[in-house]
Amino acid sequence: MTIAGRINLLFISVALLLALALTGFTAWREYHVAFDRVVDTLLAQVQSRPDLQVELYRRQDEALQPLLAGFLETPSVSVAIARDGLGELLARREAGDGAGAISPPFKLLRRDLGEADTGLTALGPDMQPAGTGLWDAWTDTNLPVYLTVPVFTGANPAQQGLTAYDFFVAPSGPAANGSLRIIGYMQLEISRAGLLETIWPTVRSVLIVSLGLVVLCGLAVALVSRRITRDLSRLAQLADDVSSGKVDKPLVIDASSELKDIATVLNSLIGGFTKARKEADVGQHLLNMKVDERTSQLTEREKELNRAAEEINETRTRMQHMAYYDGLTALPNRRLFTEQLDLLLGLNQRNGHTLALLFMNLDNFKRINDSLGYGAGDQVLLEVGKRLVEGVRDSDAVAHYVDGGQKIDVSRLGGDEFTVILNQIDNVKSAGTVVERLLGLLLKPIIIEGHELVVSPSIGVAIAPRDGANVESLLKAAGIAMHHAKESVRDKYLFFSEHMDATGVGRLKLEADLRKAVERKQLVLHYQPQVNTLTGAVAGAEALLRWEHPEHGTVPPFQFIPLAEEIGVIDELGDWVLAESCRQMKEFDAQGLELPRVAINVSAFQFKSTFVNRIREVLKQFELPASRLELGLSESILMDEDRTTHQSLLDLKALGVYLSVDDFGAGFATLSYLSRYELDELKIDRSFVLDCHNNESRGKLVVAIISMARSLGLGIVAEGVETEEQYRFLIDNGAEVLQGYLFSKPVPAEELKRMLAPWHFVEQVQSIQG
């Protein structure tokens, strides 16, 4: 836009603002003048009508109607209402033919007024007091202003038989100088729309005149500014040409001395422009060379990252296989069996199908290990697994459900325990047919190291949904049936029946006791130290929950934690652990003992929208910095796609809480969450540490986890360290913080105190390192 255009636009904008301001002021003044005029007219009418007093006294609607019509003759008055001295309605008349809106209660209009006060009230749509000005009239045009005027008389309205003459002579009678009495009220509704119609002609005239003046002044300013800025516009155009490189010859300008000075400056620019352009071309060429070099470096870096990603994926695949498959038989392990069976039960429940679970245990298997050695026992387990897989036909079992590469028809739960799933069976007899075929295969002799062995299994069969609708109940039923079969002399397999469930009542009592464990103060925390092997000091401690049952003694967590999740009290237990561990850490501080951090494990059932606020409240209650609280998160939490879970993890990190991945690598999860969240630490699962020093595959996995954590800037804690060989392997491969029975079992807080002394484990560490 040219300079002249900017000046014109500025002037027109200012002139329009002034015109609008003048119009607005005129509208405001005219509105208030008209409003005051209407109010004064109505007050004068009320005070000058003795006959109004007479008709209010007589309380006759027919006689009051002509008087109310007189009030409606005043412009903008839409409703006139006559009321007695108590505010009760005597007569009502509206302007026009139609019925108007219902008037608000009289008491609401006069709630803040004395009996003798004149009221002027406006109410909004919500029946709350509103203003009476122009803006309120503009925004609430359909809502009137209510004028309530008391009607005074010199006569005594309580006296019976008064005539019109008595009211007319009362003002000049002997009691005229006495107090006046209220005989009634006039309620008059002033239409805001009518007031606006009254002032509109004046406002419109002012607006038209103002806009006309704006147009005339704009034309005048446009002519003057164009004359003034013509030369400047030419000079500005020349300057644009110079800046864009379109002019390479000196400029000749015939104008005032100031413009000639500017032209001289532009000429000097033209002279230096060619030189600058050449220098710029050289610089651009050098920049292109630098960009090409950097692009090549980035390409090489991308290839390196791709190779690293492939190695991580391969490692993850191996870790997943170890987590979900038995290392000896390569059959699905308990974790994969449980997860997949849970999904399958849900599918069958929706479709109304029947499923059979076979729980199998080998009789006297321990005797084979004791007599022939564990190597022979492993060969027996391999052969049993092979025969079970061969004996289960595709028509009998679950072939593929979630992942095409995962078959879970036959699983090894551990030791000499196997399971077989028979999906969508026609009837219970079909399951018995399959069991008898499997027994026939298993009872055939097995040749191990020249010895002919006959393995006799005991099999329990549970039918879903008859014997259980979920994994736990179904597995429990099959296990009970298997134990009854093992105790039976003649039966090698049994179907579950209700009379077998001898432990049901005991479990119900355990559930009831668990619900009251917090109230009865039966829960305690034990702490297992995490030792920094560089300093010999305690780097932190993991808080582990224990239930001291008055009848059963110490109940292990693996028994009551799943039960707590199932019956819905895990939130209460988890909240108690959070508060108690923070309270204990605060107590350590008061005693001058240094515990840098306490770690608590978080169940996926606890991770709700209120969890972050609860963490914040507990930290504030005990005045602890968030960095001293470590939350051990399972991979299932980190892989949850729910938006609330995602935001809660971000809020916890923003709060400053120390976040670690519990049992890293043991779950069936991708590693994408490592880049999605700002984590602080990985905890190597005990199953990897167990034989990392003498199992090459597990050792490589541990080394890969440590290397990956270092490359991501994460801390490492190795759990379940029990032997010096495990210690040396982990230390040699870069792990610094270790946790396990090698240093201490989980102990009460009182026993932990002595371990919090500086360098408590220095001698033990030095002794191991030799």
Side-chain angles (χ1 to χ4, degrees):
M1 183 181 292
T2 63
I3 298 175
R6 293 191 183 98
I7 294 174
N8 291 339
L9 180 60
L10 176 62
F11 175 80
I12 291 173
S13 300
V14 173
L16 283 174
L17 289 175
L18 292 175
L20 293 176
L22 176 60
T23 304
F25 173 75
T26 302
W28 175 83
R29 182 178 62 81
E30 290 297 324
Y31 176 82
H32 283 279
V33 169
F35 184 77
D36 293 341
R37 186 186 302 116
V38 172
V39 173
D40 292 341
T41 301
L42 295 175
L43 292 176
Q45 280 185 277
V46 173
Q47 297 169 3
S48 63
R49 298 296 296 269
D51 53 342
L52 179 60
Q53 303 172 21
V54 176
E55 301 307 332
L56 288 174
Y57 174 75
R58 293 177 177 173
R59 306 172 65 91
Q60 294 181 1
D61 180 87
E62 296 80 359
L64 285 169
Q65 286 297 328
L67 297 177
L68 297 181
F71 285 101
L72 294 178
E73 292 176 358
T74 303
S76 302
V77 177
S78 59
V79 179
I81 300 174
R83 297 182 182 273
D84 62 11
L86 298 177
E88 296 297 328
L89 178 68
L90 297 178
R92 173 187 175 99
R93 190 174 183 120
E94 301 175 3
D97 298 330
I102 298 175
S103 300
F106 185 70
K107 291 183 179 181
L108 177 62
L109 298 177
R110 297 189 60 81
R111 59 183 174 185
D112 296 326
L113 300 174
E115 292 181 355
D117 294 337
T118 298
L120 191 62
T121 307
L123 298 176
D126 55 355
M127 302 304 290
Q128 296 297 319
T132 60
L134 176 60
W135 176 253
D136 298 285
W138 183 263
T139 55
D140 292 324
T141 306
N142 296 327
L143 299 179
V145 178
Y146 303 94
L147 176 64
T148 55
V149 184
V151 181
F152 297 96
T153 180
N156 183 6
Q159 183 177 348
Q160 301 292 328
L162 294 180
T163 64
Y165 175 79
D166 294 327
F167 284 94
F168 278 96
V169 301
S172 58
N177 295 328
S179 60
L180 297 176
R181 298 176 176 84
I182 298 175
I183 194 171
Y185 292 90
M186 286 301 299
Q187 177 179 326
L188 302 167
E189 298 183 7
I190 303 171
S191 171
R192 293 176 172 175
L195 291 173
L196 292 175
E197 290 177 2
T198 302
I199 69 171
W200 172 241
T202 303
V203 175
R204 180 175 56 195
S205 301
V206 172
L207 179 61
I208 292 173
V209 172
S210 299
L211 292 177
L213 291 175
V214 169
V215 173
L216 292 176
C217 294
L219 292 175
V221 169
L223 293 174
V224 174
S225 61
R226 184 174 182 183
R227 182 184 182 110
I228 294 174
T229 60
R230 179 176 54 194
D231 292 336
L232 290 176
S233 298
R234 291 175 56 199
L235 190 58
Q237 182 61 45
L238 292 174
D240 290 339
D241 293 340
V242 171
S243 64
S244 60
K246 296 179 181 179
V247 179
D248 54 5
K249 296 181 180 179
L251 305 176
V252 178
I253 297 179
D254 185 11
S256 61
S257 58
E258 291 84 356
L259 297 180
K260 288 183 178 180
D261 292 340
I262 295 175
T264 302
V265 173
L266 291 176
N267 286 331
S268 64
L269 288 175
I270 293 172
F273 178 77
T274 303
K275 180 180 178 181
R277 184 164 55 187
K278 291 180 179 179
E279 293 175 352
D281 291 340
V282 174
Q284 182 65 36
H285 180 68
L286 294 176
L287 178 61
N288 290 337
M289 294 176 61
K290 191 67 175 178
V291 169
D292 293 339
E293 179 184 358
R294 193 61 178 165
T295 301
S296 177
Q297 294 175 353
L298 291 175
T299 302
E300 185 62 28
R301 180 59 175 168
E302 182 181 6
K303 293 179 180 178
E304 294 175 359
L305 290 175
N306 289 336
R307 287 194 294 270
E310 291 176 0
E311 294 176 359
I312 292 175
N313 288 333
E314 292 176 359
T315 302
R316 178 178 62 84
T317 301
R318 290 195 298 270
M319 292 169 61
Q320 289 176 349
H321 190 274
M322 293 180 62
Y324 281 90
Y325 289 88
D326 178 53
L328 175 64
T329 63
L331 294 173
N333 61 12
R334 179 182 292 271
R335 174 173 294 186
L336 180 56
F337 161 79
T338 302
E339 292 180 2
Q340 298 285 25
L341 179 57
D342 182 60
L343 294 175
L344 189 59
L345 287 173
L347 182 64
N348 282 352
Q349 185 175 7
R350 287 194 298 270
N351 297 331
H353 294 155
T354 302
L355 177 146
L357 174 63
L358 281 57
F359 194 129
M360 182 183 307
N361 182 268
L362 304 182
D363 299 336
N364 300 319
F365 178 72
K366 184 175 182 297
R367 188 171 60 184
I368 297 176
N369 281 333
D370 294 340
S371 58
L372 300 180
Y374 288 99
D378 288 346
Q379 293 183 49
V380 170
L381 293 176
L382 282 170
E383 182 62 24
V384 169
K386 180 180 178 182
R387 292 185 181 185
L388 287 175
V389 172
E390 294 175 351
V392 178
R393 299 173 182 172
D394 290 341
S395 60
D396 298 328
V398 169
H400 306 285
Y401 174 55
V402 175
D403 186 343
Q406 296 177 347
K407 288 194 65 175
I408 60 166
D409 45 5
V410 179
S411 302
R412 181 192 176 201
L413 302 189
D416 59 341
E417 293 181 344
F418 294 84
T419 60
V420 177
I421 298 174
L422 306 178
N423 187 39
Q424 299 182 16
I425 60 176
D426 298 330
N427 50 57
V428 176
K429 292 182 178 180
S430 299
T433 301
V434 176
V435 173
E436 291 176 357
R437 184 169 71 243
L438 294 177
L439 283 173
L441 290 173
L442 295 177
L443 290 175
K444 292 180 180 180
I446 302 174
I447 306 301
I448 302 294
E449 299 177 357
H451 299 278
E452 184 178 289
L453 305 176
V454 176
V455 178
S456 175
S458 296
I459 303 175
V461 184
I463 306 298
R466 184 190 71 184
D467 301 330
N470 55 49
V471 174
E472 182 178 356
S473 60
L474 192 65
L475 190 59
K476 175 185 173 183
I480 292 174
M482 181 270 293
H483 286 294
H484 279 75
K486 186 178 289 288
E487 295 172 0
S488 174
V489 176
R490 61 176 185 173
D491 295 319
K492 301 309 298 179
Y493 74 94
L494 290 173
F495 286 86
F496 174 79
S497 59
E498 292 183 359
H499 75 274
M500 295 180 178
D501 193 4
T503 62
V505 177
R507 185 179 186 276
L508 290 176
K509 187 176 184 306
L510 194 66
E511 289 182 8
D513 292 342
L514 182 57
R515 294 182 188 275
K516 298 181 180 180
V518 174
E519 177 184 343
R520 295 174 178 173
K521 298 182 179 180
Q522 297 174 352
L523 300 179
V524 296
L525 285 181
H526 286 193
Y527 299 88
Q528 188 171 37
Q530 298 169 339
V531 180
N532 187 328
T533 58
L534 298 180
T535 63
V538 173
E542 182 177 5
L544 301 169
L545 185 60
R546 298 291 185 265
W547 182 13
E548 300 294 343
H549 195 281
E551 298 178 5
H552 304 296
T554 301
V555 182
F558 70 84
Q559 287 188 3
F560 73 86
I561 292 298
L563 181 61
E565 293 179 340
E566 181 181 342
I567 66 177
V569 299
I570 191 64
D571 284 345
E572 184 179 1
L573 299 187
D575 190 73
W576 184 88
V577 171
L578 171 64
E580 176 63 16
S581 59
C582 290
R583 184 203 65 78
Q584 185 64 63
M585 190 156 46
K586 188 67 176 180
E587 182 178 314
F588 286 155
D589 292 345
Q591 296 174 1
L593 301 173
E594 182 179 359
L595 177 59
R597 186 183 302 113
V598 65
I600 63 175
N601 295 322
V602 180
S603 169
F605 294 93
Q606 293 177 253
F607 216 78
K608 302 177 181 177
S609 57
T610 58
F611 182 68
V612 178
N613 288 333
R614 181 55 183 158
I615 293 289
R616 188 181 290 107
E617 290 173 2
V618 173
L619 291 174
K620 183 178 180 180
Q621 176 185 353
F622 294 103
E623 299 178 346
L624 292 174
S627 58
R628 295 185 64 187
L629 176 64
E630 176 182 339
L631 299 181
L633 307 175
S634 65
E635 291 184 330
S636 62
I637 294 177
L638 295 170
M639 288 299 297
D640 193 345
E641 297 294 336
D642 183 70
R643 183 178 300 177
T644 301
T645 301
H646 178 76
Q647 187 60 46
S648 296
L649 289 169
L650 297 179
D651 292 342
L652 286 173
K653 190 58 187 176
L655 184 62
V657 176
Y658 195 85
L659 301 180
S660 64
V661 183
D662 194 33
D663 297 336
F664 178 75
F668 194 70
T670 65
L671 301 181
S672 60
Y673 64 81
L674 294 179
S675 60
R676 187 186 310 169
Y677 303 111
E678 294 184 18
L679 303 173
D680 298 294
E681 182 179 272
L682 301 182
K683 290 185 175 181
I684 303 177
D685 186 58
R686 180 180 180 275
S687 61
F688 297 139
V689 176
L690 185 62
D691 55 353
C692 63
H693 57 290
N694 55 22
N695 186 307
E696 183 178 356
S697 298
R698 292 187 183 271
K700 288 182 179 180
L701 284 175
V702 171
V703 173
I705 293 173
I706 296 174
S707 300
M708 181 175 60
R710 281 185 171 181
S711 65
L712 294 174
L714 301 178
I716 278 288
V717 172
E719 297 180 312
V721 181
E722 300 180 358
T723 67
E724 295 183 1
E725 290 79 6
Q726 295 170 355
Y727 173 97
R728 294 190 184 96
F729 178 86
L730 293 167
I731 294 301
D732 292 343
N733 287 282
E736 298 176 357
V737 180
L738 307 182
Q739 173 185 344
Y741 276 70
L742 178 64
F743 297 105
S744 172
K745 66 178 182 180
V747 296
E750 192 64 30
E751 295 184 31
L752 182 66
K753 291 182 180 179
R754 63 182 179 81
M755 303 180 193
L756 299 181
W759 311 295
H760 175 79
F761 292 98
V762 168
E763 292 185 4
Q764 182 180 0
V765 169
Q766 291 177 345
S767 173
I768 296 174
Q769 294 178 350

